[in-house]
Amino acid sequence: MKKYIGEIGLLLTAIIWGSGFVGSAVALETYTPYQILAGRFLIGAVLLCAVFYKKLKFISKSALMKGAILGVFLYIAFVLQTVGLQFTTPSKNAFLTAVNVVIVPFIGLVIYRRKLDLYEVIGAFIAMFGVAVLSLQWSAGINIGDFLSFCCAIGFAFHIFYTSQFVKTEDPIALTIVQMATATVIGFVVVLLKGEMAFSTQPEGLTSLFYLGVFSTTIAFLLQTVSQKFITETKAAIILSTESLWGMIFSVILLSEILTVKMGIGAILILAAIILSETKLSFLMKGRNPARLE
């Protein structure tokens, strides 16, 4: 099991994020998207500082800088996703966000001249196609919402990529604390500028926001950061793309959404992408080295 600690941690992250779709839907009935972002990151920052308070005095300048970079990428990606959703359909927003899975390996190629793992790249495209089949309902034309959703994918891709880079030399817990604190500051500045400082205290809204803050933010991002220490960034992106699959499963269970054949095909494709990237078809290619793209 230790061999797959990274995969297990990221799979749990994707499951938690998938359940977050339901929590977000409930929270949006009480709070604005910007209030939800500020609130969930605040809860995350406070909980992490409370649990790991002994680490606060030992956070290095390097961890502060790198964690702040991750926090900026994280908030920008979430905001672009939120704003983009106001101008495009939820299915296109989900699909375009998932495009990050194929952007991640090419960041390493372009910026660091890193070789591409053929199986991981193919798996990334299969995962993206799986998300498309799972959720996409085509509508005519491309609008500003589609563009913002694609930019959101770029933001998440950089967040995933640089998380993998930074955890090689920094404490993942310190990085998570700093990025949560950074996203919190940005979040409340945005809320203040938009004049949305009046937060509702309705029990249902607070419960959903608390869930998002504790599980979808604190636990999920801590799991993601720690897990990416043991896995490549491309494989991480592929596993995290199952978020849409788990979102579908929780929607069927909790919101009584009807399961369709299209959803089933999309789920199979996403799972096939994970198997391909994880095994590199070693069970079919005994003794052969995994192919790589130069």
Side-chain angles (χ1 to χ4, degrees):
M1 291 293 288
K2 288 183 178 180
K3 179 182 177 182
Y4 297 104
I5 187 171
E7 287 86 345
I8 294 171
L10 289 171
L11 183 60
L12 289 174
T13 301
I15 292 173
I16 294 171
W17 282 348
S19 68
F21 283 113
V22 178
S24 294
V26 176
L28 282 169
E29 296 177 3
T30 306
Y31 304 106
T32 70
Y34 301 100
Q35 288 178 324
I36 291 174
L37 291 182
R40 66 184 290 178
F41 288 132
L42 174 63
I43 293 171
V46 170
L47 286 179
L48 288 170
C49 288
V51 174
F52 301 105
Y53 65 92
K54 291 183 179 180
K55 285 184 175 288
L56 296 178
K57 62 175 70 174
F58 299 109
I59 296 178
S60 64
K61 291 183 179 179
S62 176
L64 282 172
M65 180 185 69
K66 293 174 181 177
I69 291 172
L70 292 178
V72 170
F73 279 137
L74 186 62
Y75 189 83
I76 288 175
F78 268 109
V79 164
L80 288 172
Q81 183 182 47
T82 302
V83 178
L85 187 57
Q86 296 176 342
F87 300 99
T88 189
T89 63
S91 62
K92 288 177 75 175
N93 181 268
F95 166 67
L96 290 168
T97 298
V99 171
N100 75 75
V101 73
V102 298
I103 298 175
V104 169
F106 290 99
I107 294 175
L109 174 66
V110 173
I111 298 179
Y112 296 97
R113 304 299 180 189
R114 185 177 301 171
K115 293 179 180 180
L116 295 176
D117 185 296
L118 176 60
Y119 292 102
E120 289 188 357
V121 172
I122 293 175
F125 276 97
I126 293 175
M128 183 185 70
F129 186 61
V131 174
V133 174
L134 185 70
S135 61
L136 194 58
Q137 297 175 355
W138 289 107
S139 58
I142 297 176
N143 56 39
I144 185 63
D146 300 330
F147 175 73
L148 292 175
S149 298
F150 178 72
C151 290
C152 151
I154 296 175
F156 279 124
F158 272 95
H159 180 267
I160 293 171
F161 181 85
Y162 278 106
T163 295
S164 287
Q165 297 302 300
F166 294 160
V167 293
K168 292 177 182 178
T169 57
E170 304 294 342
D171 180 358
I173 294 176
L175 286 175
T176 308
I177 292 173
V178 176
Q179 71 171 309
M180 286 298 109
T182 301
T184 299
V185 172
I186 299 173
F188 275 94
V189 168
V190 171
V191 167
L192 180 63
L193 292 175
K194 292 186 68 65
E196 299 178 354
M197 288 301 293
F199 281 77
S200 171
T201 56
Q202 292 183 10
E204 190 175 67
L206 286 174
T207 300
S208 59
L209 185 61
F210 185 75
Y211 178 85
L212 291 174
V214 175
F215 294 95
S216 297
T217 306
T218 308
I219 296 176
F221 281 106
L222 184 59
L223 271 174
Q224 179 197 354
T225 308
V226 173
S227 299
Q228 283 197 238
K229 196 176 184 71
F230 306 97
I231 194 172
T232 67
E233 59 270 10
T234 302
K235 193 179 293 184
I238 292 172
I239 295 175
L240 290 174
S241 73
T242 64
E243 173 190 359
S244 57
L245 168 62
W246 294 107
M248 174 202 74
I249 292 173
F250 281 110
S251 294
V252 170
I253 296 173
L254 300 178
L255 301 179
S256 301
E257 186 172 331
I258 298 175
L259 183 64
T260 65
V261 173
K262 186 166 74 78
M263 290 179 177
I265 295 173
I268 291 172
L269 287 170
I270 293 173
L271 293 176
I274 294 175
I275 293 172
L276 177 62
S277 65
E278 186 62 45
T279 68
K280 305 184 190 301
L281 301 182
S282 58
F283 55 92
L284 298 177
M285 304 169 60
K286 297 179 180 178
R288 291 182 60 183
N289 292 325
R292 300 184 77 86
L293 288 173
E294 299 294 337

